[in-house]
């Protein structure tokens, strides 16, 4: 029902769209929202599959990244200037107590610091095995630390990419003065949504809706371009997390999704159709079931009403009266106002059992 509700038309359009919780998918382009959603998912994943400490640590490092990256270095090249733990603020230091070269896990290694260390090594004797070993381990640690966590990849995609997030160019003389602002694709998408809604609200004639149809097509294309990478990251994270599980943990089955937003609507709609249909087939509480079914299908009718002045609905819902949904509503209402359940079904049995026959 998601595309059906998000593209609803008519006077109740906003009501139906808001039922989805995020009618324009803008939450997928907000780093804080997705990061918070991933945190909640990770907690549920840990509880559902009862992860052990090693699995839990791997999952959280995959999501948030480690506190630091370490590699054992027994001896530093003589004369190498490198901060030690507790020294000046740096993203790389040497832990003398544990004989380890450490790179900060959240900020990684600044390229300038890597060049600074490489420059020092270049001035040393390249045949020295200590220099060779240190350079090899530094390069290995640098490559390893270059791996980004899923949250970092998400931040790069949504906030670190100027083509998406936009950018500001400031004056060299006065850094506080912004003299050029470049719009990102996310801001452009938000403006496209706003223009589409404005155009839809002001449309009156058929050619207006032809123009709106082109706007909607461009909007859908831009939405796919922006949401595709983010949803791809979301799917990749969950796939990688599943690979941490053992066979016995996989036997627990998939996590049960929270019934909220569109999932809740889909579940309620499916069960409503099933229950109402079963009652009508069995002839149990026929009038009540028919009335409930008429109300449900009438909601479908109102989501895409074939009223003059609104875009033409898709499919066969093309006329105000000769309309599949409306005809079904009228047919169900006929059961409400006719003596239904008196001849067949469970209601008929109850009617025969509990209705007193007149005494002759």
């Amino acid at each position: 029902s998601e595309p059906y509700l998000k593209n609803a038309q008519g006077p109740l359009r906003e009501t139906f769209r808001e039922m989805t919780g995020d009618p324009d998918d803008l939450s997928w382009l907000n780093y804080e929202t997705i990061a918070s959603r991933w945190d909640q998912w990770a907690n549920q994943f840990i509880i559902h599959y009862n992860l052990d400490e090693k699995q839990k640590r791997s999952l959280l490092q995959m999501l948030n990244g480690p506190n630091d990256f370490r590699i054992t270095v027994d001896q530093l090249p003589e004369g190498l200037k490198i901060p030690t733990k507790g020294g000046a603020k740096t993203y790389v230091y040497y832990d003398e107590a544990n004989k380890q070269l450490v790179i900060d896990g959240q900020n990684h290694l600044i390229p300038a610091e890597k060049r600074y260390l490489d420059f020092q090594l270049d001035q040393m004797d390249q045949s020295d095995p200590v220099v060779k070993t240190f350079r090899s381990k530094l390069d290995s640690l640098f490559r390893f630390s270059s791996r980004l966590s899923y949250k970092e990849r998400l931040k790069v995609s949504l906030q670190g990419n100027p083509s998406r997030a936009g950018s500001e160019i400031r004056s060299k003389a006065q850094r506080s003065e912004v003299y050029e602002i470049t719009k990102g694709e996310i801001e452009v998408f938000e403006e496209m949504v706003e223009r589409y809604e404005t155009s839809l609200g002001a449309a009156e004639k058929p050619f207006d809706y032809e123009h709106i149809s082109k706007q909607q097509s461009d909007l859908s294309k831009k939405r796919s371009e922006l949401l595709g990478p983010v949803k791809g990251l979301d799917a990749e994270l969950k796939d990688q997390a599943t690979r941490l599980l053992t066979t016995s943990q996989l036997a627990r089955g998939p996590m049960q999704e929270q019934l909220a937003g569109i999932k809740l609507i889909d579940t309620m709609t499916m069960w409503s159709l099933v229950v109402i249909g079963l009652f009508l087939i069995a002839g149990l509480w026929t009038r009540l079931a028919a009335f409930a079914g008429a109300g449900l299908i009438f909601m479908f009718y109102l989501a895409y009403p074939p009223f003059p002045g609104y875009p033409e609905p898709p499919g066969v819902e093309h006329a105000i009266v000769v309309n599949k949904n409306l005809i079904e509503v009228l047919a169900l209402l006929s059961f409400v106002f006719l003596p239904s359940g008196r001849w067949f079904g469970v209601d008929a049995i109850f009617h025969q059992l509990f209705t007193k026959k007149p005494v002759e």
Side-chain angles (χ1 to χ4, degrees), residues 198-205 208-209 212 309-310:
T198 301
S199 299
L200 189 62
E204 295 179 351
K205 299 180 180 178
D208 292 329
Y209 289 107
I212 288 173
Y310 291 101

Side-chain angles (χ1 to χ4, degrees), residues 161-182:
N161 187 344
S163 66
R164 288 195 172 191
S167 61
E168 295 181 352
I169 300 178
R170 298 176 180 272
S171 168
K172 292 183 178 180
Q174 296 180 339
R175 299 298 295 175
S176 61
E177 180 183 346
V178 179
Y179 68 88
E180 183 177 335
I181 298 177
T182 303

Side-chain angles (χ1 to χ4, degrees), residues 230-243:
V230 180
K231 290 189 174 183
L233 268 182
D234 183 75
E236 183 184 332
L237 167 63
K238 293 172 181 177
D239 178 66
Q240 290 296 322
T242 303
R243 297 186 184 189

Side-chain angles (χ1 to χ4, degrees), residues 110-171:
I110 299 175
E113 289 186 322
K114 174 67 166 58
R115 289 195 299 269
Y116 174 66
L117 293 174
D118 285 334
F119 175 77
Q120 292 186 69
L121 294 172
D122 290 340
Q123 311 307 311
M124 298 177 182
D125 182 4
Q126 302 304 304
S127 63
D128 186 346
V130 176
V131 174
K132 286 184 178 181
T133 300
F134 183 85
R135 186 189 290 276
S136 174
K137 293 196 172 184
L138 175 64
D139 291 341
S140 176
L141 185 60
F142 179 69
R143 286 194 301 272
F144 184 61
S145 69
S146 298
R147 300 175 185 175
L148 300 179
S149 67
Y150 278 92
K151 281 188 180 179
E152 288 172 324
R153 291 169 64 183
L154 178 66
K155 182 172 286 189
V156 168
S157 178
L158 296 180
Q159 297 180 347
N161 187 344
S163 66
R164 288 195 172 191
S167 61
E168 295 181 352
I169 300 178
R170 298 176 180 272
S171 168

Side-chain angles (χ1 to χ4, degrees), residues 188-351:
V188 170
F189 174 69
E190 292 172 346
E191 291 179 351
M192 288 175 67
V193 170
E194 187 176 348
R195 283 199 301 270
Y196 173 76
E197 294 297 327
T198 301
S199 299
L200 189 62
E204 295 179 351
K205 299 180 180 178
F207 69 82
D208 292 329
Y209 289 107
E210 292 179 7
H211 177 66
I212 288 173
S213 178
K214 177 63 169 60
Q215 281 186 299
Q216 187 178 32
S217 176
D218 294 340
L219 192 60
S220 298
K221 182 179 178 181
K222 179 63 69 175
R223 180 186 285 109
S224 298
E225 291 175 357
L226 292 176
L227 268 59
V230 180
K231 290 189 174 183
L233 268 182
D234 183 75
E236 183 184 332
L237 167 63
K238 293 172 181 177
D239 178 66
Q240 290 296 322
T242 303
R243 297 186 184 189
L244 297 173
L245 303 177
T246 63
T247 305
S248 60
Q249 288 172 324
L250 287 170
R252 292 172 176 261
M255 289 170 54
Q256 188 172 5
E257 296 186 55
Q258 287 187 328
L259 290 181
I262 197 67
K263 296 294 181 184
L264 179 60
I265 294 171
D266 286 344
T267 302
M268 291 175 62
T269 302
M270 288 187 292
W271 278 107
S272 296
L273 290 171
V274 169
V275 172
I276 292 170
L278 289 175
F279 282 164
L280 289 173
I281 292 172
L284 176 62
W285 297 330
T286 309
R287 291 185 177 182
L288 180 62
F291 184 77
L296 181 62
I297 295 176
F298 190 61
M299 295 290 283
F300 300 161
Y301 177 81
L302 291 179
Y304 279 90
F307 298 160
Y310 291 101
E312 185 174 324
V316 295
E317 294 89 357
H318 62 279
I320 297 178
V321 177
V322 184
N323 181 286
K324 173 177 70 69
N325 288 331
L326 190 58
I327 290 172
E328 290 179 8
V329 170
L330 295 175
L332 287 169
L333 288 178
S334 68
F335 286 104
V336 177
F337 296 103
L338 291 175
S340 306
R342 297 295 177 90
W343 305 288
F344 300 101
V346 179
D347 286 342
I349 296 174
F350 287 161
H351 179 72

